Amino acid sequence: MSGTTPAWGSEDADARDGAWGAGDLLVTGEAVALDLPAASLGVRVLSGLVDLVAQGVLLVLGLVLVAIAAPDDALAAAGSVVVTATTLVLGPAAVETLTSGRSLGKLVLGLRTVRDDAGPPSFHHCFVRHLVSVVEVWVMAGVPALVSALLSRRGKRLGDLVAGTYVVRDRFALRLPWPVTMPPPLAAWAARADIAPLPDALALTVHRLLGRGEGLDPRAHERLLLHTAAEVARHVAPAPPQGTPPGAFLAAVSAERRARDERRLRGEVAQRQRLARRP
């Protein structure tokens, strides 16, 4: 890296491994953590009861229709198997796939099934969830599901553990913080600096330090600023002016990254508009 590097401290293991780690959070392009909150056990139980009642009604109606329409016992048995599999496994899996993880009960109570990476579940995920639920919910009266949900950090039942999914609250307010302000003395330097993409965990650490660092012990906050600034400096060239405080350096990098992203997005929108106007 060219230029004179500010005298920031060396790496601090306690700071690196402290309370600002990314954990299981999702990180947006602006280093905003999106922690999709797992649904509480009580709400999940209510949602499950709604689904169980709906499935039970459909199952009884289907079995009655098969018993009336089937000409012999063999066809009645085969029809019963088809109705049971469709009502308890195939139908619910198809519904959750088409609705991005929502069943009737989840729709009523504002819940949604997602993958462990918070993406929408595929048919495979939903099929495995409901296949396991035949045993843990219908055969064993939901006892294994309840025990597993109590022990799991995300309230997962056995079907979720096998399928790699969990249930989240679909109705919650997402509050985005105000963008970081560019320190005026560093605006000219940041405009010409080469800022490489930051790893998600590091970008999230910067965002949290600038947004909520005042809640930390002052000495711990200073150590974290020094360590994080040294880590970010590896992705920036040239170095900021000598004597730049680490907090100001981090604010300048964060603000410039946001400004460049906004300019890039505006350029892409303008280009699409120009292309759309061409005959």
Side-chain angles (χ1 to χ4, degrees):
M1 181 182 296
S2 61
T4 304
T5 304
W8 292 327
S10 60
E11 294 187 6
D12 189 313
D14 293 334
R16 181 176 62 251
D17 299 327
W20 299 101
D24 295 330
L25 303 180
L26 303 177
V27 183
T28 70
E30 295 181 356
V32 177
L34 298 182
D35 183 12
L36 296 181
S40 64
L41 181 58
V43 177
R44 287 198 62 184
V45 170
L46 291 176
S47 171
L49 290 176
V50 173
D51 289 334
L52 287 177
V53 171
Q55 291 176 356
V57 171
L58 292 176
L59 181 61
V60 171
L61 291 176
L63 293 178
V64 170
L65 290 176
V66 167
I68 295 174
D72 54 56
D73 293 341
L75 287 176
S80 299
V81 172
V82 172
V83 169
T84 302
T86 302
T87 304
L88 302 186
V89 180
L90 296 176
V95 169
E96 285 197 355
T97 303
L98 295 174
T99 59
S100 299
R102 298 175 182 87
S103 63
L104 177 61
K106 293 182 178 66
L107 182 63
V108 171
L109 293 171
L111 306 180
R112 178 164 57 95
T113 300
V114 297
R115 302 192 308 260
D116 283 341
D117 61 0
S122 65
F123 180 78
H124 171 76
H125 294 95
C126 298
F127 178 82
V128 172
R129 289 186 77 250
H130 290 284
L131 184 63
V132 177
S133 73
V134 173
V135 177
E136 65 171 333
V137 176
W138 289 93
V139 176
M140 304 187 71
V143 174
L146 182 61
V147 173
S148 176
L150 288 172
L151 297 178
S152 172
R153 182 174 61 88
R154 286 178 166 176
K156 292 186 172 191
R157 62 176 178 84
L158 295 181
D160 290 313
L161 293 173
V162 176
T165 58
Y166 71 110
V167 177
V168 301
R169 300 197 309 270
D170 200 27
R171 301 169 187 164
F172 63 95
L174 177 62
R175 296 180 177 87
L176 297 180
W178 289 100
V180 178
T181 303
M182 170 68 71
L186 297 179
W189 164 82
R192 65 175 184 271
D194 181 12
I195 304 176
L198 302 181
D200 282 348
L202 181 58
L204 180 58
T205 299
V206 172
H207 184 82
R208 285 178 160 175
L209 274 173
L210 296 176
R212 299 189 308 203
E214 66 277 2
L216 293 175
D217 177 79
R219 289 176 296 179
H221 188 207
E222 185 65 23
R223 288 198 303 269
L224 280 169
L225 284 174
L226 291 173
H227 167 75
T228 306
E231 289 291 316
V232 172
R234 299 178 182 179
H235 303 271
V236 180
Q242 182 69 21
T244 298
F249 166 67
L250 296 178
V253 171
S254 180
E256 182 62 25
R257 291 180 67 222
R258 179 186 179 91
R260 293 181 183 183
D261 287 340
E262 290 177 345
R263 289 195 295 268
R264 175 180 55 82
L265 292 174
R266 286 197 297 266
E268 292 176 355
V269 171
Q271 183 179 11
R272 285 196 298 269
Q273 290 175 347
R274 288 195 301 270
L275 293 174
R277 288 196 295 267
R278 292 181 180 179

